[in-house]
Amino acid sequence: ATKTGEALYNLGLLYSTGQGVEMDYVQAHKWFNLAALQGNAAAKNWRKELAEEMTADEIAAAQREAREWLQSH
């Protein structure tokens, strides 16, 4: 896993647990998704667990935001 993947994973953890930020599963899923693309295995597991708690619309929003982030970075 890359340093970037680790940073993205940590953002996912913050949003999934509400530490220092408002808990937001869409944001958490987005960051875990991006971290997983960087090869972070733990992020893949968290993304899967979160997805089970989310609606299809929330997952779609998270995936859309991840794509937008990738296009701008």
Side-chain angles (χ1 to χ4, degrees), residues 47-59:
R47 181 184 59 190
K48 180 176 175 288
E49 285 191 26
L50 269 183
E52 292 172 5
E53 306 291 324
M54 296 167 69
T55 67
D57 284 347
E58 288 172 329
I59 293 168

Side-chain angles (χ1 to χ4, degrees), residues 3-70:
K3 274 194 173 15
T4 303
E6 189 77 15
L8 296 169
Y9 172 73
N10 288 334
L11 281 169
L13 282 180
L14 290 178
Y15 281 102
S16 65
T17 58
Q19 293 182 340
V21 295
E22 194 170 329
M23 192 181 296
D24 185 333
Y25 281 0
V26 171
Q27 289 298 310
H29 188 287
K30 173 180 84 174
W31 295 122
F32 285 142
N33 198 11
L34 292 164
L37 290 172
Q38 294 279 334
N40 188 304
K44 292 178 187 173
N45 294 332
W46 275 96
R47 181 184 59 190
K48 180 176 175 288
E49 285 191 26
L50 269 183
E52 292 172 5
E53 306 291 324
M54 296 167 69
T55 67
D57 284 347
E58 288 172 329
I59 293 168
Q63 291 172 335
R64 187 171 56 249
E65 288 189 23
R67 281 193 303 274
E68 290 169 359
W69 189 88
L70 283 171

